Each structure stands twice: as structure tokens, then as C-alpha cells.
Amino acid sequence: MSARMATARPSSYRHKSEKRGMTYNIMLVGQSGLGRRTFLNTLCERAVIASPDAPNPETANVADPMKFDTYEVAMEEEGTRISLTVIDTPGFGDGLDNTSCFKQLQDYIEAQFDEVLVEESRVKRNRRYRDHRIHVLVYFIAPTGHSLRELDIELIRRLGEYVNIIPVIGRADSFTVEELDAFRSNVMRDMLYYKLPVYNFCWDETDSEALAENREIMEHIPFSVVTCDEVYDNEYGS
């Protein structure tokens, strides 16, 4: 009987999640031009973030300070309602000295933990309280073709203990297939060498089917991302 209960838990959890819906908080971090905006729009299949205005040529060489832009998206995936909160971080890594960016990100993530602690300490909790702790930070790696930069290593090293980090290669279409494989190998070599704490998909061993899928996913880290704002449907022979 206990064995049946153990094997039933994962599917039971999914069933409950499908009925009540799920909430996710995602943070997007990466330098400008790596496709954060189009990644989010492609993920949600809608224009969550509008195309930016053309920069002023007179101030194009001046890096804007990093800021936090929050977007709320309601969507449905395979019958499950998802309330998605996305925190974008324009301005990260665009300056000559990006030390303050690391601290701002860390302070932001820690502040969400503090909010939850305060709420759980209340005698009477707010039933409508929304947990804003970041579930995952998607970090966009520049397609240099060589290896991780000091900026990448420092970001993952400093924030990996506070949040789940999933590394992705931005603008992966700038590589050929062979170049992409070589770059991914270089990135993984650096991650292992510096012992960088990226998210491990294989944390749950109670669901054998999910474990097999997650092990396969781990083989593709870092993921490569190619996105576009427009879809072209070419019909040949018409």
C-alpha cells in the first residue's frame, strides 16, 4: 500500500496543479542585444514587451543603469492555467564597471525572501498574498565562440546560491551547428572547472519517467536560444 502511495504522488501533484493553476516567477538577465525581449515574446506567443524605440545617436554610447521591469502574463499550457511574472533586467552588463549590477540583483532576490518571511510571521496572514520569490533566473550568454567571460562566471558564482540559474546561449543562430557544439562544450568545460552552481533538473528521483526526461535535458545545457518577433510561412509550389 505504501508503495502505491509513493508512486502516486507525482501524478497526484500534477493533477492538483492542473486544477488550481500554477504561478511562476522568472528573471531574465543578460547584456543588451542577446534576445531577452524576443525570448519572452516567443515564450508567451504574444508581444509582452514592445519593440524599443530607436536610440538617440547622441547618447547611444552612454550605458543606461540597470533596472527591473516586471511583466504579468496569464497563459495556459496543456490545460494548466499559468500565472507568469517575468522580471527583465535591461542595462545589466552594459557598463564598463558592472559591480553594482551583481549587488542589485542579489538585493532584489533576497528582498523577496524577506517579504515571505514577514508574511509567514504574521498572526493573520493575507490569503491573497502572492509569493514573488524567483523560481528561476534565465541567464543569457553572449555568443563569443570562445568560452565564458569573467562577467558570466561572476554572475553565476554570486547568485547561484540564491536562485536557480539556467544558462542559455543568446542569438545561437550566429553559429553553424559545428560552431555551436564547440562553444557549448567550452562553456560546459568552464562551468565544471569553476564549479558554477547552475540548476540541476534531476533533483526529484521519485518519478522515474521525469528523471529520465530531466537527465536528457541536462545533456543540452547550456541551451541555445533562437527567437524572432515575426513568423514567415512560405508555401512552396503554390
Side-chain angles (χ1 to χ4, degrees):
M1 182 174 182
S2 59
R4 287 206 308 270
M5 289 178 65
T7 55
R9 283 175 186 168
S11 58
S12 175
Y13 173 78
R14 293 195 188 104
H15 178 69
K16 290 179 180 178
S17 298
E18 290 174 358
K19 290 186 65 177
R20 67 171 180 261
M22 307 182 73
T23 60
Y24 283 113
N25 304 319
I26 301 177
M27 176 175 282
L28 306 180
V29 180
Q31 288 180 288
S32 298
L34 295 183
R36 298 190 323 275
R37 178 181 61 83
T38 51
F39 169 81
L40 176 57
N41 291 346
T42 301
L43 176 69
C44 299
E45 297 182 336
R46 69 193 75 171
V48 179
I49 306 179
S51 299
D53 297 329
N56 185 342
E58 296 181 358
T59 60
N61 63 326
V62 179
D64 294 327
M66 190 183 75
K67 59 180 180 177
F68 298 92
D69 292 338
T70 302
Y71 302 91
E72 304 281 348
V73 183
M75 53 194 300
E76 185 171 317
E77 184 70 21
E78 297 183 355
T80 301
R81 299 189 310 276
I82 298 176
S83 178
L84 181 65
T85 299
V86 180
I87 300 91
D88 189 26
T89 56
F92 170 83
D94 293 343
L96 295 177
D97 183 2
N98 299 291
T99 306
S100 63
C101 292
F102 301 131
K103 187 176 187 310
Q104 289 181 66
L105 288 168
Q106 182 176 330
D107 289 347
Y108 184 95
I109 293 170
E110 287 186 321
Q112 313 313 311
F113 286 102
D114 294 340
E115 276 190 13
V116 172
L117 181 60
V118 170
E119 181 61 28
E120 291 183 345
S121 302
R122 297 181 188 276
V123 176
K124 186 176 181 180
R125 299 181 184 178
N126 182 2
R127 293 183 178 181
R128 297 185 178 181
Y129 175 75
R130 168 73 184 271
D131 187 344
H132 290 96
R133 286 176 294 183
I134 306 300
H135 291 101
V136 64
L137 185 155
V138 181
Y139 182 64
F140 290 74
I141 300 170
T144 62
H146 302 292
S147 56
L148 289 177
R149 301 164 301 165
E150 184 177 348
L151 177 73
D152 308 322
I153 296 171
E154 189 68 13
L155 182 283
I156 298 174
R157 175 181 287 160
R158 292 184 60 165
L159 299 185
E161 63 178 296
Y162 299 99
V163 65
N164 300 314
I165 298 179
I166 297 180
V168 301
I169 300 172
R171 300 186 64 180
D173 55 338
S174 59
F175 293 120
T176 64
V177 175
E178 293 77 14
E179 290 171 341
L180 180 59
D181 288 340
F183 183 52
R184 180 183 282 115
S185 297
N186 290 342
V187 170
M188 279 304 303
R189 179 200 62 204
D190 287 350
M191 288 184 177
L192 292 173
Y193 179 81
Y194 292 105
K195 298 179 181 180
L196 300 181
V198 297
Y199 179 63
N200 180 8
F201 286 84
C202 301
W203 61 273
D204 185 4
E205 298 185 359
T206 61
D207 188 334
S208 58
E209 181 179 350
L211 182 61
E213 293 176 354
N214 291 339
R215 283 176 175 167
E216 184 178 353
I217 291 174
M218 287 294 296
E219 295 177 358
H220 296 283
I221 289 180
F223 301 112
S224 53
V225 175
V226 178
T227 58
C228 182
D229 281 332
E230 299 180 15
V231 177
Y232 297 93
D233 185 9
N234 293 327
E235 297 184 3
Y236 295 97
S238 58

